[in-house]
Amino acid sequence: MERIPILRMGKHLLVTIQIDMQDQTALQLQEDLATMVEKSSAHGVLIDVSALEMVDSFIGRMLVSISDIGRLLGATTVVVGIRPAVAITLVELGLSLGGVKTALNVERGMALLDNNRIR
Amino acid sequence: MERIPILRMGKHLLVTIQIDMQDQTALQLQEDLATMVEKSSAHGVLIDVSALEMVDSFIGRMLVSISDIGRLLGATTVVVGIRPAVAITLVELGLSLGGVKTALNVERGMALLDNNRIR
């Protein structure tokens, strides 16, 4: 099974999703992230999806779950790099990722997290 | 009946939940906390659940209630110490504790409260 790596960047964690995740990979990622947020006391989690040309409802829901889990552990999650076409598809699917913070790219996402640091 | 102690820490109150609460204990805690918030003019309430290996929907709803009650009395409630596995279960149960502030541990929760003091 593929396992998506989680990188540490200062006070934050960075996950770059490059493959179309299957259920098992996604569940593993949720678990790995939850463990890592606790272990590293991360303030924020950046999820970069700029490599994905398609985000289906499964991945959409997974992003919402990860964001909720992170919040319960005291970390802010920001999804970055959603492509214009992907954004349009997501909204058409009725998945506007309510409650999930988003930013244009990693740099902006990082700035958003640093600004929210104290929370 | 067990009664969960409420400790005073400066301007805040600290509750450490260490047992699987039954209905009566939970209702008693809500009442004790409400009384204590008023009496002590507490600015914030920290609820530490790090001792709990499982948080079911009853406890989940109770945390939301306590947070709402505190808010009505002018105090901010922060739930701290949710374990990674508990966070995942809560989200799977559809209980992402919307509206409840969270932090990784007591220290972070305290920082969050002190920052929010004026609100």
Side-chain angles (χ1 to χ4, degrees):
Chain A
M1 199 190 67
E2 281 148 313
R3 200 158 174 160
I4 297 170
I6 302 170
L7 308 180
R8 187 133 186 210
M9 289 178 69
K11 281 188 282 280
H12 310 306
L13 301 176
L14 172 67
V15 180
T16 305
I17 299 179
Q18 294 171 359
I19 50 160
D20 275 335
M21 274 186 287
Q22 299 308 306
D23 296 30
Q24 271 309 309
T25 318
L27 291 176
Q28 184 69 53
L29 176 61
Q30 278 183 13
E31 216 179 296
D32 289 349
L33 255 180
T35 312
M36 190 98 165
V37 165
E38 196 209 19
K39 215 171 58 183
S40 66
S41 307
H43 287 263
V45 177
L46 280 167
I47 303 187
D48 177 51
V49 296
S50 58
L52 299 183
E53 283 177 33
M54 244 307 290
V55 173
D56 59 13
S57 61
F58 171 71
I59 307 251
R61 281 196 304 275
M62 203 265 308
L63 294 173
V64 175
S65 293
I66 285 183
S67 168
D68 285 345
I69 293 169
R71 199 182 61 79
L72 288 176
L73 299 171
T76 306
T77 301
V78 183
V79 175
V80 304
I82 296 179
R83 297 188 182 201
V86 168
I88 293 171
T89 313
L90 279 174
V91 171
E92 278 170 353
L93 286 172
L95 275 171
S96 37
L97 307 189
V100 177
K101 285 182 199 292
T102 49
L104 189 68
N105 52 34
V106 173
E107 197 184 353
R108 291 261 194 98
M110 196 67 90
L112 182 61
L113 285 176
D114 282 332
N115 223 33
N116 274 354
R117 199 174 53 215
I118 313 299
R119 298 190 342 142
Chain B
M1 198 190 68
E2 281 149 311
R3 201 159 172 160
I4 296 170
I6 302 170
L7 308 180
R8 186 132 186 212
M9 288 178 69
K11 283 188 280 281
H12 311 306
L13 302 177
L14 172 67
V15 180
T16 306
I17 299 178
Q18 295 171 358
I19 51 159
D20 275 336
M21 274 186 288
Q22 299 308 305
D23 296 29
Q24 271 310 309
T25 318
L27 291 175
Q28 184 69 53
L29 174 62
Q30 279 183 13
E31 215 178 296
D32 288 350
L33 253 181
T35 312
M36 191 97 164
V37 165
E38 197 211 15
K39 216 170 59 183
S40 67
S41 309
H43 288 264
V45 177
L46 281 167
I47 303 187
D48 176 53
V49 296
S50 59
L52 299 183
E53 283 178 32
M54 244 309 290
V55 172
D56 59 13
S57 60
F58 172 70
I59 307 251
R61 282 195 304 274
M62 202 266 309
L63 294 173
V64 175
S65 295
I66 285 183
S67 169
D68 286 346
I69 293 169
R71 199 177 54 78
L72 290 175
L73 298 169
T76 306
T77 301
V78 183
V79 175
V80 304
I82 296 178
R83 297 188 182 199
V86 168
I88 292 171
T89 313
L90 279 173
V91 170
E92 277 170 357
L93 287 173
L95 275 171
S96 36
L97 308 188
V100 177
K101 285 182 198 293
T102 49
L104 189 68
N105 51 36
V106 173
E107 195 185 353
R108 290 259 195 99
M110 196 68 89
L112 181 63
L113 284 175
D114 283 333
N115 218 39
N116 272 354
R117 202 172 50 217
I118 314 299
R119 296 194 337 150

